[in-house]
Amino acid sequence: MRVLVLHGPNLNLLGSREPEIYGRTSLAAINRLIRAWARRTGTEVAIRQSNSEGELVDWIQHAASRYDVIVINPAAYTHTSVALRDAIAAVAVPAIEVHLSNPAAREPFRRQSFVAEVAVGQISGFGIDSYLLGLEAARAVGRRQAVRPRRPKRGVRPAMARRRRRSIAGARGS
């Protein structure tokens, strides 16, 4: 299974930015934990961080042909980015939203998540364990995807859907 982990804006400052909210663990340390988890579970992971909304959107769009699941901490873009929401909705890759803190227990403006509307699930408030829980959820989603073939989009005839699944499966094997 292949998982894309995306870190949103300001997460590169973890460890020094508001440690009373986000903790003292750096992003580099979180990435090491993610890579250790990947080795332990035999999962392929790619990890990216950007402060740029457009770059995050580009990575989400490219995930469609490369990854089985996206684990994303959209950070501040959670509450503002229709572009991230639309990118996730547009690709056929399930996304799991994670947050170190619990946005619902913070300022009122943080309680709205555009990403949650299109994510298969949301994990928040567990500090760095939110990422590990998100990765475990990604494995569960990936296993379900492997067992059940994806449903064809509305309006697609079954024969066309079977050809598309075969061509997708063939592309993944390369």
Side-chain angles (χ1 to χ4, degrees):
M1 187 175 77
R2 298 165 299 180
V3 177
L4 174 62
V5 177
L6 294 177
H7 305 292
N10 298 315
L11 294 176
N12 56 307
L13 301 175
L14 286 175
S16 61
R17 175 185 176 230
E18 300 179 271
E20 66 282 358
I21 295 173
Y22 302 108
R24 299 201 179 281
T25 306
S26 69
L27 184 60
I30 290 172
N31 289 341
R32 283 192 297 275
L33 287 171
I34 292 169
R35 286 187 186 98
W37 174 89
R39 280 190 301 277
R40 198 171 50 253
T41 62
T43 304
E44 182 184 325
V45 296
I47 304 170
R48 309 272 186 270
Q49 188 277 327
S50 181
N51 293 321
S52 168
E53 182 180 35
E55 192 165 30
L56 291 165
V57 167
D58 287 342
W59 288 331
I60 292 166
Q61 290 176 355
H62 289 100
S65 61
R66 296 182 177 108
Y67 300 99
D68 301 303
V69 182
I70 298 169
V71 173
I72 182 170
N73 183 342
Y77 290 139
T78 301
H79 326 290
T80 63
S81 182
V82 174
L84 285 182
R85 181 227 176 270
D86 287 352
I88 292 168
V91 298
V93 181
I96 298 165
E97 180 182 354
V98 300
H99 295 281
L100 297 167
S101 68
N102 180 358
R106 296 184 59 197
E107 303 92 338
F109 73 88
R110 295 188 192 274
R111 294 180 188 147
Q112 167 67 36
S113 170
F114 287 104
V115 173
E117 298 171 4
V118 293
V120 295
Q122 184 183 55
I123 299 169
S124 63
F126 295 98
I128 59 175
D129 288 335
S130 290
Y131 280 99
L132 299 177
L133 292 166
L135 290 165
E136 286 298 329
R139 276 186 54 196
V141 168
R143 281 193 301 268
R144 282 197 309 260
Q145 295 271 332
V147 172
R148 281 186 282 164
R150 291 188 181 156
R151 292 184 202 160
K153 291 184 179 179
R154 278 197 150 137
V156 176
R157 294 184 318 208
M160 291 178 71
R162 279 194 297 277
R163 279 195 299 270
R164 188 173 68 227
R165 273 198 297 273
R166 269 189 251 123
S167 68
I168 290 170
R172 285 185 181 161
S174 53

